Amino acid sequence: MQASLLHRALPMALTVGIFLTGCSDSTTPPPPPGIQPEIVNVTDSFEYQVQSVSDYSRTASYTWTNTGTVAAVDHSSVVSDGVGTLEILDADGNQVYSGTLAASGSTQSAAGTSGGWTVRITYAAFSGTVNFRVQKA
């Protein structure tokens, strides 16, 4: 009889445990309104655009596949206040590019290892519009 009770209670306990696990709070708050980036992330091309950013502070990282060893970086942002930075790491985690978000300009990264690169955008009390593209050079 005790074995029968255990067989009925165990599935119920597991179901409740799974349900409660799914209800836990996230430690990362959702982005505030107005910071909904439009991202195109395909092999050898990464494009990022977000409009109407207001006093925003946060870092976001994306993995991008670069089959080459160098990336071309094109900027077209409008910075009203604060600081925005773009950092790119190669597949080995080495920094190949770091710079502030700029109104315009094109440059290239240093040479790195092909594969999964990291594109990291950091906002510090940033207000403005962000638009940049990173492509295999």
Side-chain angles (χ1 to χ4, degrees):
M1 180 133 158
Q2 286 182 354
S4 176
L5 180 61
L6 180 61
H7 284 119
R8 287 188 305 215
L10 185 58
M12 178 64 99
L14 289 173
T15 302
V16 170
I18 290 169
F19 175 75
L20 292 176
T21 301
C23 293
S24 67
D25 290 336
S26 172
T27 58
T28 304
I35 194 75
Q36 301 298 325
E38 297 174 30
I39 300 169
V40 177
N41 186 355
V42 297
T43 299
D44 295 331
S45 182
F46 181 92
E47 297 178 39
Y48 181 98
Q49 177 177 321
V50 64
Q51 298 188 16
S52 302
V53 179
S54 180
D55 194 27
Y56 187 68
S57 297
R58 187 168 296 165
T59 299
S61 295
Y62 305 91
T63 300
W64 165 62
T65 301
N66 184 2
T67 61
T69 58
V70 176
V73 181
D74 297 309
H75 287 276
S76 181
S77 297
V78 177
V79 180
S80 303
D81 198 14
V83 177
T85 57
L86 171 62
E87 180 183 24
I88 303 171
L89 310 175
D90 72 2
D92 290 334
N94 298 314
Q95 185 182 75
V96 293
Y97 177 83
S98 181
T100 58
L101 297 175
S104 65
S106 297
T107 188
Q108 286 193 338
S109 71
T113 303
S114 63
W117 287 29
T118 301
V119 177
R120 183 176 299 142
I121 304 102
T122 301
Y123 298 99
F126 182 89
S127 295
T129 300
V130 180
N131 189 340
F132 67 84
R133 178 177 56 198
V134 182
Q135 293 182 306
K136 174 183 167 182

